[in-house]
Amino acid sequence: MTAPDLAAWLAHAERLHPKSIDLGLERVVTVLRRLGLETPPYRVFTVGGTNGKGSCVAFMEAILRATGCRTGAYLSPHLVRYTERVRVDGTDSTEVELVAAFAEVEAARGDVTLTYFEFGTLAALCAFRSAGIETAILEVGLGGRLDAVNAVDPLVSVVTTVALDHRELLGSDRESIAVEKAGIFRHDRPAICGDADPPSTLLTEAERHGVRLWRIGREFSVERAGEGWSLAHPGGRIAGLPLPALAGAFQLDNAACAIAALLALGMPLPQAAVAAGLLAARNPGRLQRAGAGGEVVLDVAHNPAAAAALAAALAASPAVGRTLAVIGVLADKDARGIAAALDGAVDAWHAATLDGARGRSAAALAVELRAVPVRGAVSVHDDVLTAHAAARARLEPGDRLLVVGSFHTVGAVLGAGLYCAPQGD
């Protein structure tokens, strides 16, 4: 009998639990104990928040690697290949390594029915142990308090931002969502907040948990100076830092959160390592520029706050001509809010169908776009690649092509090899 490959393990993980999302820690903790990973043999940082999580992880990973630390990074979802979710020393894990990790989890779980994300999270923790990493940076998948990642106690917790997303699971307003995000805080341990105007409930939860909270704009702050910047923090100031490799003014806040998290733990951070990490960080699908014969921007923005940040970045670097958008948005996302945020930056919309249990048809998406109403014409396409081809055919010199709305949308274009291999700015 042929041993299962990674695709077979992922299919197995999708079938195990009756629900695709079933928030709670009991199942994960049970298997974690059986694996002997309740207290992992490596330092753990946990990064949550609505937007900016992946970039913050990328900055922390790159800075730590520049200090000589052997790192593990767990991110979700992936753009093209599942192996993107588990990185060791800045490199995606191999399928062989992940197959071994999945087999380890399967042997330990017994009759416990794990969700796809829970199975993958446990496999990542196993892969990190096998790789002998020193520090793991774990990105929260959904919320925080009941997310599988929260089964492991972090030394430092980061909440990047709090905005409206996953309201059917986390709450209908920022105050409710903040309580879920703050669930990753740990008593008498440092926590970082990158939201300049956090809901009062996040501060209340921080006090209730007894955490040592550093807030952007208070305990630490960004000071932009020409083509560089400085970070002020409780222990002093790091001056003369280069602008991050990741594009967008908002990335300074993500970088500041990453540095603050490392400083809060008291880790030695040579300025040269911080600078090198800022320049080395990569996070594909976030203001990623690609293509030839015209500007192409790919961004996974899938909620109104992320779309507003994207719109501001596009406005700061306007196209000479028009901006044509290829957009696909999952059914459980606020398509109308995303379109409203981007409306001023987009001249024509190519709506694409996204398949799957959470998919949304292009026709249904077009209804939402026209209800805004967006100012540009809306066309409907059977899938992302068809929408992309139609938009490309309309490009004129000076025009910009924007691919946006979901990891699925950006991933379809990158996975087709239409541009360079996934690589962030």
Side-chain angles (χ1 to χ4, degrees), residues 222-280:
V222 171
E223 301 170 2
R224 177 74 183 264
E227 292 304 306
W229 65 291
S230 300
L231 177 72
H233 60 90
R237 188 166 175 266
I238 306 176
L241 292 171
L243 295 180
L246 301 183
F250 53 86
Q251 291 293 2
L252 280 181
D253 286 352
N254 293 328
C257 284
I259 299 168
L262 301 176
L263 290 170
L265 192 58
M267 299 183 69
L269 282 184
Q271 181 160 339
V274 175
L278 293 174
L279 296 174

Side-chain angles (χ1 to χ4, degrees), residues 141-177:
L142 178 61
R145 182 175 64 91
L146 298 176
D147 186 82
V149 164
N150 203 35
V152 178
D153 288 330
L155 295 176
V156 180
S157 307
V158 180
V159 173
T160 53
T161 58
V162 181
L164 299 179
D165 202 1
H166 299 291
R167 282 179 283 183
E168 71 285 0
L169 295 169
L170 303 180
S172 60
D173 51 40
R174 289 181 76 230
E175 288 70 23
S176 302
I177 292 171

Side-chain angles (χ1 to χ4, degrees), residues 175-354:
E175 288 70 23
S176 302
I177 292 171
V179 173
E180 298 300 318
K181 304 291 185 190
I184 64 174
F185 293 165
R186 292 298 188 272
H187 176 70
D188 200 31
R189 292 186 178 175
I192 307 300
C193 175
D195 196 309
D197 183 26
S200 61
T201 49
L202 185 135
L203 306 181
T204 300
E205 286 298 295
E207 184 176 356
R208 185 175 73 84
H209 283 287
V211 305
R212 291 171 278 149
L213 186 65
W214 287 17
R215 290 172 55 184
I216 196 166
R218 294 176 65 106
E219 286 75 19
F220 69 103
S221 59
V222 171
E223 301 170 2
R224 177 74 183 264
E227 292 304 306
W229 65 291
S230 300
L231 177 72
H233 60 90
R237 188 166 175 266
I238 306 176
L241 292 171
L243 295 180
L246 301 183
F250 53 86
Q251 291 293 2
L252 280 181
D253 286 352
N254 293 328
C257 284
I259 299 168
L262 301 176
L263 290 170
L265 192 58
M267 299 183 69
L269 282 184
Q271 181 160 339
V274 175
L278 293 174
L279 296 174
R282 296 291 183 268
N283 196 21
R286 283 76 166 181
L287 269 178
Q288 180 178 348
R289 288 179 168 82
E295 185 184 8
V296 179
V297 178
L298 305 105
D299 198 290
V300 298
H302 54 271
N303 57 58
L310 170 60
L314 295 175
S317 180
V320 174
R322 303 167 300 159
T323 294
L324 311 183
V326 173
I327 182 169
V329 182
L330 293 173
D332 55 1
K333 299 297 181 181
D334 182 2
R336 200 173 298 188
I338 293 168
L342 288 170
D343 185 38
V346 174
D347 298 291
W349 303 80
H350 291 73
T353 293
L354 295 183

